[in-house]
């Protein structure tokens, strides 16, 4: 058995891991797009190219449908990949939406071509229930393992997200079976809406993410309070509050928490009248899926539903769909003297509708930008965070934009497990790993997490993943 990393090694994007079961059979876990600094020095074609041999790849397993885990699937198909794509049912429902968007943004606007890709994708997707074992095809080979099966478990990161256990065995010989666990992205223990991940019983080899391997989040009350306070302070001057957010996951968490605040502030006129605007057709589509799959919500969110409240679909919420309406809303918000909260993608300000808002409102002293997610090095979001508070500027689409708007970051807001969550995930594994590979994080985060794991498991080989 061997594991090769094709991405998410020197950073957090482009996740794609290859598990070699034997010399003739391998499977891929995720096939994501590179973003931010990890694209530096590479042409677009280079970033997208599937640079590895596909001839022995028998299946793709998708942990969740964030773009940095699935964005290169169209290129995988174009390169001739023809095997099954396993995903949880909710991920399988979301995946075509994400891929359609990725194709439109990065590849082609040709509707016929997009339909062809999506049709091919639909033919290959195999939706599976959580905790349901499924067999993986293994080609015959003299050495290595002969059988493989896998199952998804709740990761609590976004709707449908999973970590995957893969059990390798060989009935011909007396060789011990070997369980490999790929964490995908693990959710924080205090993520709203979704339940927290439970550790697997066994993991001989664990490949684990480390996005927040060197940090611990503020607790959830603190975070929700910060959200309320930042918005309250920001709207005093009647300006708008812009929140860049991933369409899937973060947007729904924000809606959930905003509904809670509105519900708890029944005598506060501002909260009872402020408009919450989702300017993203993608986010609206995803929100629909979140509502459809409400059986996957955690107990707290289900209790809110039982009170006849609608955390993702409340009366002060407005959704902007067409591009024309999007442009009209920007002008409308800029011309009136009334606050509003606008949530738009992309989460790191590298593209999407948030860009038009930033160009219009960054130079506006009454406006406020509120970051609620991780901003990777080299992204516009990170630049605004760095240069904004000192009244600097950023370049957006080649244009120099002065930053006069207020810049805020609520760091505790993350769909990713923090250091303590990651340690607890490993602590909870009954049959402890012999090998741990740390991937999907900046160097400092990986080092810090490795130090923690070395203390916790002195007899385990801890490796920082390299390609
Ligand atoms: Zn993710």
């Amino acid at each position: 058995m061997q594991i090769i990393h094709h991405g998410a090694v020197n950073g957090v994007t482009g996740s794609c891991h290859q598990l070699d079961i034997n010399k003739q059979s391998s499977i891929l876990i995720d096939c994501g797009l590179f973003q931010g600094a990890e694209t530096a020095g590479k042409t677009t074609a280079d970033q997208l190219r599937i640079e590895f041999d596909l001839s022995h790849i028998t299946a793709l397993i998708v942990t969740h449908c964030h773009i940095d885990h699935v964005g290169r699937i169209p290129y995988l198909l174009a390169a001739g990949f023809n095997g099954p794509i396993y995903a949880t049912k909710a991920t399988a429902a979301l995946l075509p939406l994400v891929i359609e968007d990725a194709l439109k943004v990065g590849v082609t606007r040709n509707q016929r071509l997009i339909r062809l890709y999506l049709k091919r994708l639909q033919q290959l997707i195999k939706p599976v229930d959580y905790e349901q074992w499924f067999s993986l095809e293994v080609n015959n080979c003299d050495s290595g393992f002969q059988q493989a099966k896998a199952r998804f478990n709740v990761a609590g990161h976004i709707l449908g997200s999973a970590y995957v256990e893969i059990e390798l065995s060989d009935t011909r010989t007396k060789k011990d079976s070997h369980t490999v666990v790929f964490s995908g992205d693990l959710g924080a223990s205090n993520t709203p809406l979704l339940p927290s991940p439970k550790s697997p019983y066994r993991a001989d080899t664990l490949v684990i993410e480390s996005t927040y391997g060197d940090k611990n989040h503020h607790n959830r009350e603190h975070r929700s309070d910060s959200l309320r306070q930042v918005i309250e302070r920001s709207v005093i001057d009647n300006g708008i509050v812009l929140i860049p957010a991933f369409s899937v996951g973060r947007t729904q968490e924000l809606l959930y928490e905003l509904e809670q605040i509105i519900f708890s502030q029944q005598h506060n006129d501002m909260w009872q009248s402020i408009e919450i605007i989702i300017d993203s057709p993608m986010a609206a589509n995803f929100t629909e899926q979140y509502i459809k799959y409400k059986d996957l919500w955690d107990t707290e969110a289900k209790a809110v539903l039982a009170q006849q409240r609608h955390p993702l679909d409340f009366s002060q919420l407005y959704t902007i769909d067409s591009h024309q309406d999007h442009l009209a809303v920007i002008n409308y918000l800029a011309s009136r003297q009334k606050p509003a909260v606008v949530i738009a993608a992309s989460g790191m300000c590298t593209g999407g509708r948030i860009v038009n808002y930033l160009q219009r409102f960054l130079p506006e002293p009454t406006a406020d930008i509120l970051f609620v997610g991780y901003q990777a090095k080299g992204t516009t979001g990170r630049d605004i965070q760095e240069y904004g508070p000192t009244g600097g500027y950023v370049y957006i689409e080649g244009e120099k934009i002065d930053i006069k708007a207020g810049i805020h970051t609520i760091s505790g807001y993350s769909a990713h497990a923090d250091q303590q969550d990651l340690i607890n995930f490993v602590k909870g594994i009954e049959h402890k790993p012999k090998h741990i590979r740390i991937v999907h994080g900046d160097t400092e985060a990986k080092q810090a997490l490795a130090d923690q794991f070395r203390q916790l498991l002195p007899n385990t080989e801890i490796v920082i993943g390299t390609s």
Side-chain angles (χ1 to χ4, degrees), residues 6 25 43 100 109 120 125 128 133 170 176 191 203 213 244-245 282 322 336 355 465:
H6 299 301
S25 330
T43 64
E100 181 175 356
R109 291 229 158 233
R120 188 79 199 105
I125 295 182
V128 197
W133 286 106
D170 191 347
D176 288 339
T191 301
M282 269 261 280
S322 74
R336 67 173 201 172
V355 171

Side-chain angles (χ1 to χ4, degrees), residues 183-240:
S183 74
D185 287 355
L186 292 171
S189 54
N190 59 2
T191 301
L193 264 173
L194 300 174
S196 311
K198 289 192 187 67
S199 310
Y201 171 75
R202 175 179 186 159
D204 299 302
T205 298
L206 170 66
V207 179
I208 190 163
E209 66 127 324
S210 58
T211 316
Y212 283 99
D214 57 347
K215 286 188 191 71
N216 282 312
H217 302 323
H218 292 302
N219 67 33
R220 178 153 160 210
E221 288 81 69
H222 180 278
R223 187 182 66 191
S224 176
D225 268 354
S226 309
L227 179 67
R228 183 177 55 76
Q229 286 167 11
V230 169
I231 292 176
E232 284 173 356
R233 279 201 304 271
S234 302
V235 300
I236 287 174
D237 53 9
N238 281 325
I240 72 159

Side-chain angles (χ1 to χ4, degrees), residues 93 159 286-297:
L159 187 76
F286 285 127
T287 305
E288 241 170 70
Q289 297 297 323
Y290 262 77
I291 296 171
K292 184 176 164 198
Y293 285 93
K294 51 181 177 286
D295 56 317
L296 298 177
W297 293 12

